[in-house]
């Protein structure tokens, strides 16, 4: 249960005391980080709106304290002195990661950090209120403050490349617009083509279970069972409900996932849970000896998302998954699931259609939703778009890309919490996650040719064991792209994702391959 | 929803900027304090045991940071400079309260604060595990660490008087053993006499509802209804479940209470909820203009407890309360409550008997439970008792005072979380709370002679309104004893409590008054 310090026996004796000092400071930074996670988790799971102002200030205070610790000149001394010593690989990597965090922090004045923290926390609350009221005008001033602060943050950080890069880099270290844009564009053109072909083909008809009610409690029980089945350790974490499913790690052994349940749409809770289980198992899978150090983190959000989307889509929307779980559905839901076998669930969960809500989108159009967001936030950061014009720009983009136009902003620009809460540059990591998941899955298929029969029998430990070894335990020892290259042997490439999608959807829609 | 700063218009212009600076620092201290409350709340409500080690460290880190802020020399400068200016009363009181906190903090080295924080957080977890296993040996080492740390803390703080005083003073500022002991002793002799007389009288027979099952969900619904009925603002707080009911304030408008429900004992959840509602309404009732300052706090735990015990006992165990709620019980529980009217519930909830568990004790023997604890912790602090001998000493004290001996330590020394989590000097505030509640209630009866008919009609706003004005809104503007003297016109006196108890229990047990 307790993690030791990074193995002291391999440290040169001279620097041992200094290293212990650094570890103590790193631990404190992680304590603060995990407290922020709890403040955020509680805000979404437990807090009532009346607590929002105080919570926003608490979150800002915590960020300022963390910033103060990270920019403390005594930390610099310690890091410099240690950098001059002979360190083993894990220690070098820890120093590298700490250096990166510190360098970024040094460019942001404390006053700005508080202002940004307040803007983001208040934006998240304004978003919640504006959604309840269905009124973008209630969000606009808070969102304007956030966007202004993010532009300022990007300018202060001032990485090479364009302004957006300084935000993107937080989530996907080393990634730049110049490299990302071509990848996304060529992915888009292939997806648009496939999407069009599917739209022209005979559509998937409604399945017997659709339209029936699936009681809330039984759905909850099913999601808890799924968590246990796939390997999420419920003794070292928990599941709750929230309006928008998410995962927060409060400690290596205290990982919280959430789900949401809709009695009319049983697939919604199942996929929310599988998605968050993917994130949650990653968070539970870091090497315990590096607990509370930068090594016990995902190297990038894209890689994190590769895990959630692999479990949600590649596993959860597979035919073999439903061969396993269709009988479970009938057992748990009786009449509601009656007459729906594996094939019916498989077809229903893979129905492709233009839709307004990203998190409910099929695997083909999902990335088109992301691309719309990416281009809009890029325009915001390039000063080519202002917040007041965002709803119209959003609706136009949906009409153009997917041929449908949101009737209101709750179904449109207000569907995601990301922008109001300051996560700009975050959306592309979802698509990168899909790309990574395609690459990693191809490697896994090669390593475990019997994967279909494993999943059909409900044995997920083959996949989880492989991911633990290849992806989870290494943590941030390598950069995300380096990790994927080590595992797959190739550079960032959307080929495997497209092959996977074609391999699934062409037969499903009767298209010639 | 937002509280302004303490009214700036009344401040002398010269010190306005300095005052703003101080307020910012006070706010930060309160942010840290409220974060600690969330860490604690979550530990008891949501966290799994595997998260305990990390949580203990997070809590210790937070305490160290708060200590560091409180002992910052720049704060001294600011406080001195402000103290030389002409300040209005609220500001003077804020400075006084901050000074008291700071003076205490200055006597504790940061290293000790971390050690104490870790010991207390680990003690709380060891307690939970030891209780589950029913084995005091699993608690003993952690408890020894805590007791050693508390002795050290008391010596470091070193107030006038004996060692125990330095701990007691945290919870009941200004109270000392020399003054407390005589009060408790004379209360004890009167209680023991009354208790003996009651034991010699014909006992209250089992009531029709006892032994029946009261479904969990309906009990939960009832406790939620009670919270709303008495005036706890559920839009600015919430109720959850925990093994041991408690109240935590995360902000003025985010107050969390917990309860516990046992299908065999419907009164248990009702009184847990009423008790915590009393605490919770106090926390919700401070003057919003002093939000996140030391003025928006109870001046003492005794006064806090006066609120919880007034709602639980004086209100909740009254005949008129049951005249209101007996029909509600029948409506919500049907057959289980059938045949039990107000009189039956009234008699059952006021059955006096020797019992092992403090929180389930009747109003007469409750204070005897407290006195046992007070004498034991006094002995621990006086080095007259060691942790290893605590279980035997506990059991002997129960045999002597109440004539019953716990069969195991879960029913004995391990029933309360207080000592393992470092709350030494805390128990007497429960009895002080009873004494204060007796005094305050006498004043309230005089102010609202129609109180019985109000409660019989379910109108609790008369009482709550009076408490808001007399007790809640003033916050810490006065010391607890001064506040009670202002409201009641008399000094600390257990007379009103004894009169209340005799007035209720003598007729109930057919004793001549």
């Amino acid at each position: 249960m307790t993690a030791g310090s990074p193995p002291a026996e391999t440290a040169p004796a001279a620097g041992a005391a200094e290293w212990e000092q650094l570890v103590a400071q790193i631990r404190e930074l992680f304590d603060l980080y995990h407290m922020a996670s709890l403040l955020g988790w509680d805000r979404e799971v437990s807090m009532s709106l009346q607590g929002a102002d105080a919570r926003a200030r608490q979150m800002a205070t915590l960020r300022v304290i963390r910033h103060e610790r990270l920019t403390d000149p005594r930390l610099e001394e310690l890091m410099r002195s240690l950098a001059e010593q002979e360190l083993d690989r894990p220690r070098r990597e820890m120093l590298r990661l700490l250096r990166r965090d510190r360098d970024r922090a040094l460019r942001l004045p404390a006053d700005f950090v508080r202002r940004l923290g307040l803007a983001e926390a208040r934006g998240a609350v304004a978003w919640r209120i504006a959604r309840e009221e269905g009124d973008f005008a209630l969000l606009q001033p808070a969102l304007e403050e956030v966007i202004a602060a993010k532009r300022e943050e990007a300018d202060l950080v001032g990485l090479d490349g364009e302004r957006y890069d300084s935000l993107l880099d937080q989530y996907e270290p080393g990634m730049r617009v110049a490299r990302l844009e071509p990848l996304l564009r060529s992915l888009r053109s292939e997806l648009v083509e496939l999407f069009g072909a599917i739209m022209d083909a005979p559509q998937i008809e409604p399945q017997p279970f659709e339209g029936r009610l699936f009681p809330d409690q039984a759905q909850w029980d099913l999601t808890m069972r799924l968590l246990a089945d796939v390997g999420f350790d419920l003794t070292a974490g928990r599941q709750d409900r929230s309006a928008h499913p998410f995962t927060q790690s409060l400690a290596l052994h205290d990982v919280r996932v959430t789900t949401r349940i809709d009695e009319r749409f049983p697939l919604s809770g199942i996929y929310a849970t599988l998605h968050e289980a993917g994130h949650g198992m990653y968070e539970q899978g870091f090497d315990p000896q590096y607990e509370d150090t930068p090594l016990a983190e995902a190297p990038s959000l894209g890689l994190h998302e590769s895990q959630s989307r692999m479990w949600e889509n590649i596993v959860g929307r597979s035919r073999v998954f439903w061969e396993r779980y269709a009988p479970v559905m009938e057992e748990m839901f009786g009449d509601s699931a009656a007459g729906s076998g594996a094939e019916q669930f498989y077809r229903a969960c893979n129905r492709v259609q233009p839709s307004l809500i990203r998190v409910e989108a099929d695997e083909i159009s999902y990335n088109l939703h992301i691309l719309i967001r990416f281009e809009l936030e890029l325009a915001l950061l390039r000063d080519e778009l202002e917040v007041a014009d965002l709803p119209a720009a959003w609706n136009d983009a949906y009409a153009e890309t997917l041929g449908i136009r949101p009737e209101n902003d709750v179904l449109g620009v207000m569907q995601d919490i990301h922008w109001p809460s300051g996560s700009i540059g975050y959306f592309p990591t979802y698509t990168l996650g899909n790309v990574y998941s395609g690459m990693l899955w191809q490697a896994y298929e090669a390593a475990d040719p019997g994967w279909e029969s494993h999943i059909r029998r409900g044995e997920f430990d083959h996949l989880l064991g492989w991911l633990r070894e290849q992806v989870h335990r290494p943590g941030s020892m390598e950069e995300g792209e380096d990790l994927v290259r080590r595992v797959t042997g190739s550079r960032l490439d959307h080929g495997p994702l497209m092959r996977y999608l074609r391999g699934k959807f062409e037969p499903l829609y009767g298209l010639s391959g």
Side-chain angles (χ1 to χ4, degrees), chain A residues 23 69 88 105 113 118 127 217 219-220 236 308 427 449 458:
Chain A
V23 165
R69 301 310 227 215
D88 57 11
V113 170
L118 279 173
W127 172 76
Q217 183 62 44
Q219 283 203 51
W220 174 262
S308 55
F427 278 120

Side-chain angles (χ1 to χ4, degrees), chain A residues 131 195 353-362 365-366 368-370 372-373 394-416:
Chain A
R131 272 174 63 89
F195 187 72
Q353 56 193 344
S355 67
L356 293 172
I357 303 295
R358 173 182 63 87
V359 294
E360 307 285 351
D362 58 85
S365 62
Y366 184 91
L368 302 176
H369 289 260
I370 296 301
I372 291 171
R373 287 156 180 73
W394 179 286
N395 295 347
D396 290 348
Y398 267 78
E400 192 190 331
T401 310
L402 291 162
I404 49 176
R405 179 176 281 273
E407 274 173 40
N408 59 58
D409 294 326
V410 175
L411 298 172
V413 69
M414 295 207 295
Q415 69 184 262
D416 291 311

Side-chain angles (χ1 to χ4, degrees), chain A residues 82 90 102 119 146 257 270 325 330 438 480:
Chain A
L82 282 163
R102 183 172 150 83
V146 170
V257 298
I270 290 171
Y325 284 99
E330 191 158 349

Side-chain angles (χ1 to χ4, degrees), chain A residues 190-203 352 364 501-513:
Chain A
E190 294 186 50
L191 284 172
V192 165
E193 199 191 315
L194 180 55
F195 187 72
I198 289 173
M199 288 300 97
D200 291 341
Q203 296 303 293
V352 176
I364 308 290
L501 290 174
R502 288 201 178 93
K504 176 194 257 188
F505 288 95
E506 286 176 354
L508 196 54
Y509 278 88
L511 307 174
S512 54

